[in-house]
Amino acid sequence: MADRADVEEVIYRATFVTIRFGEAASIPQSENDISWCLDPLAPLEPDERTRLGDVIIALIEDPTAHRADFLVTMTALID
């Protein structure tokens, strides 16, 4: 579980990346973006970071289709 402020920061960062690119970037850039988005949740286990990274990539690729899943996934992390 995570602090609400940290989760909200991840939501903000993922939204910023989604708007900035409008589509998935190169693999190295995507990895940097995912790492930056998830920095506020640094204590997460690697498997959980990978899962959340996949959710963020889906959001970047198609924000309309994946917005609700992203928000549900993120809010479920709040203590």
Side-chain angles (χ1 to χ4, degrees):
M1 298 308 246
D3 181 71
R4 175 180 286 282
D6 293 337
V7 171
E8 288 175 353
E9 182 65 21
V10 173
I11 292 169
Y12 165 79
R13 291 177 181 208
T15 302
F16 176 81
V17 170
T18 299
I19 291 169
R20 184 184 65 188
F21 284 117
E23 61 184 56
S26 66
I27 297 299
Q29 183 63 48
S30 292
E31 290 172 356
N32 288 338
D33 290 338
I34 298 307
S35 178
W36 178 72
C37 288
L38 293 175
D39 275 349
L41 300 177
L44 290 178
E45 296 293 325
D47 289 345
E48 184 68 1
R49 289 180 69 82
T50 298
R51 183 181 76 83
L52 294 174
D54 291 344
V55 172
I56 293 170
I57 290 292
L59 178 71
I60 293 168
E61 291 175 348
D62 189 346
T64 303
H66 299 286
R67 177 179 51 230
D69 291 336
F70 170 72
L71 291 173
V72 166
T73 299
M74 295 309 301
T75 56
L77 297 173
I78 297 171
D79 289 335

